[in-house]
Amino acid sequence: MGHDAAPAATRLSDPARARIDAVLSAVDVELDRAYPGDRAEKQPAHTVYVSAADVDADTPGTWGDRASAIADDAAAVVADLDRTGIASLVQARLRGQPIEDLRIDLEDGYGWRPDAVEDRDARAAGRTIATWSARPEQAPSAYGVRCKGLGATERARGLRSLELVLDAAGGVPDGFVFTVPKLRAAVQVDAVVMICEELERAHGLPEGALRFELQIESPQAVLGADGRATVAEAIHRGVPRLTGLHYGTYDYSAACGIVSSQQSLEHPVADHAKSVMLVAAAQTGVWVSDGSTQVSPVGSAKVVEAALRRHHRLVTRSLERGFYQGWDMHPGHLVTRWLAVYGFFRSAMSPAVTRLQSYFDRQSSEFVDEPATAQSLALVVLRGLSVGAFTEADVLAVGPRCSAAALGELRASGGVLG
């Protein structure tokens, strides 16, 4: 018996291709809309929170002076933490722009005060913001306000304070953002968007001028009653006005039943919440910020040393886990913030650039780097450049093809070389 002839080559019919393309094209459009990628703006390394009762236009410089004094008094500790020779860079930062991002706090760090007092402090906060806008060389790169939240007992007070801040500021300066605390339901974001629209209308502001951040300090903000990740839905309800998610260390831990002595940025419940935040915000353009430590370098030399070492360890830990921003609550935190940030990126730069140079040259090495890895390597170098941990000349000395422009193109192309 003879063998049958091989079947003729087959292919998808044109109608089948059209049906498949119709399904996948719609998916492509939705994914491009929901996940546009990283924002072009520079993410600050930290956010400083200062009570509205204590802040004025000179606060950044005052904090820098106090931080420099703490660094001088704890010179031995600073020298021990300085593993990459960055002490002079840190001192220059403390004398120049010690605070990159600042929130004037009218919420938990301010407390409940008589309405007349909060009205006064809210107006003063707006005038301070207006001064920073007029004198950017003496101001943080970004700033804003945290008013009281959306709950029934506090939202009227919070809205009034926000309006008074905007009135006194004379509008919305570049870099202004307001923080919405204690998110508990995704639909609350719809109300925040409505607030932005109405404030823009009432104050004659351009459409889209107001931007906000969400503070994730409630278990319900991470996991809803229906089992869905509330924070993921909140992001897609809030963009493009929504710019960031900030973890609230102590409210979140307390709500989960963690006793005060164990509440920390490195507690497992904190790691879980922040991991959900990071995954939900990935490729959306929304930044994620770690929270704060309540341990400040105040007291005896031994207590100060322990606090500085603790904060340095926590900041480094956050950076290692992909949280490139965090809260600082005391001038002493600026010392260890910049020591940790500069040290982290300087340590990462040379290995990353060496691997990128091989990637650009298509040379074999001990690493077989894929485009996604090349993107990540480029990102760490670009972030280090943006915070001032090293210069482009430092990068080019290690990898002559790794200019900032080339690394930017590599990131934009998805790691694919022509």
Side-chain angles (χ1 to χ4, degrees):
M1 177 181 283
H3 295 288
D4 293 337
T10 60
R11 66 181 181 85
L12 293 174
S13 67
D14 289 341
R17 288 178 182 275
R19 291 195 301 272
I20 293 167
D21 283 344
V23 172
L24 294 180
S25 295
V27 173
D28 292 340
V29 170
E30 177 57 22
L31 288 174
D32 287 344
R33 182 199 66 77
Y35 301 99
D38 296 337
R39 296 212 309 274
E41 301 168 60
K42 173 186 176 296
Q43 182 176 7
H46 67 159
T47 301
V48 164
Y49 276 74
V50 184
S51 169
D54 301 324
V55 74
D56 60 35
D58 296 326
T59 292
T62 301
W63 272 52
D65 291 342
R66 290 176 62 190
S68 292
I70 291 169
D72 289 342
D73 290 343
V77 181
V78 170
D80 187 50
L81 295 174
D82 179 13
R83 310 291 165 77
T84 55
I86 53 172
S88 61
L89 279 179
V90 171
Q91 281 289 5
R93 166 65 74 165
L94 297 178
R95 291 191 298 269
Q97 189 187 49
I99 298 175
E100 277 199 317
D101 188 29
L102 189 149
R103 294 294 167 278
I104 300 175
D105 193 14
L106 287 155
E107 203 233 355
D108 282 354
Y110 177 80
W112 284 93
R113 306 183 186 219
D115 282 340
V117 174
E118 183 159 342
D119 285 354
R120 180 199 67 201
D121 288 341
R123 291 189 182 98
R127 291 192 293 271
T128 294
I129 288 169
T131 300
W132 287 337
S133 178
R135 301 191 327 223
E137 70 283 355
Q138 301 175 30
S141 300
Y143 35 77
V145 65
R146 178 175 71 171
C147 297
K148 293 176 174 64
L150 303 171
T153 59
E154 66 264 23
R155 62 173 168 258
R157 178 65 260 184
L159 285 172
R160 176 171 174 79
S161 293
L162 180 57
E163 285 209 81
L164 291 173
V165 169
L166 292 174
D167 282 341
V172 181
D174 289 342
F176 178 86
V177 63
F178 68 96
T179 306
V180 179
K182 297 179 174 56
L183 177 79
R184 297 189 70 196
V187 72
Q188 290 177 311
V189 177
D190 296 347
V192 179
V193 172
M194 292 170 59
I195 289 167
C196 291
E197 292 170 346
E198 286 302 306
L199 287 175
E200 288 167 355
R201 180 194 58 77
H203 292 259
L205 302 171
E207 183 178 346
L210 280 170
R211 304 194 300 173
F212 64 92
E213 306 158 332
L214 296 174
Q215 205 161 3
I216 308 302
E217 48 188 335
S218 153
Q220 295 80 33
V222 173
L223 187 66
D226 57 4
R228 294 193 297 178
T230 307
V231 65
E233 183 178 353
I235 288 170
H236 297 287
R237 287 174 179 261
V239 293
R241 291 183 186 273
L242 173 62
T243 62
L245 306 174
H246 289 232
Y247 178 65
T249 312
Y250 300 100
D251 283 53
Y252 191 94
S253 299
C256 288
I258 310 303
V259 297
S260 60
S261 62
Q262 299 301 314
Q263 293 175 0
S264 165
L265 293 176
E266 55 192 345
H267 192 281
V269 299
D271 284 339
H272 170 260
K274 291 183 290 186
S275 293
V276 175
M277 292 164 60
L278 201 63
V279 171
Q283 300 177 337
T284 65
V286 173
W287 294 331
V288 178
S289 173
D290 208 342
S292 64
T293 175
Q294 85 279 41
V295 180
S296 297
V298 176
S300 67
K302 184 177 180 179
V303 170
V304 169
E305 176 178 353
L308 290 173
R309 290 186 182 278
R310 173 188 173 88
H311 187 249
H312 184 272
R313 175 175 57 79
L314 290 172
V315 174
T316 301
R317 183 181 188 273
S318 294
L319 291 165
E320 291 170 348
R321 285 156 177 76
F323 301 98
Y324 300 111
Q325 183 178 355
W327 287 15
D328 291 327
M329 308 293 286
H330 185 274
H333 290 158
L334 302 184
V335 178
T336 36
R337 171 69 59 183
W338 292 114
L339 275 169
V341 168
Y342 285 168
F344 174 80
F345 285 109
R346 283 181 75 89
S347 296
M349 186 270 284
S350 184
V353 172
T354 299
R355 288 172 65 178
L356 282 165
Q357 185 71 33
S358 295
Y359 185 82
F360 276 119
D361 293 340
R362 303 185 187 275
Q363 293 177 350
S364 61
S365 71
E366 61 183 301
F367 299 103
V368 182
D369 289 325
E370 296 182 350
T373 305
Q375 275 195 295
S376 180
L377 293 167
L379 176 62
V380 74
V381 179
L382 290 170
R383 282 189 180 274
L385 285 168
S386 73
V387 298
F390 43 78
T391 67
E392 187 166 355
D394 296 327
V395 174
L396 294 176
V398 179
R401 294 191 62 188
C402 297
S403 66
L407 297 182
E409 290 177 12
L410 184 68
R411 284 276 296 154
S413 70
V416 178
L417 296 174

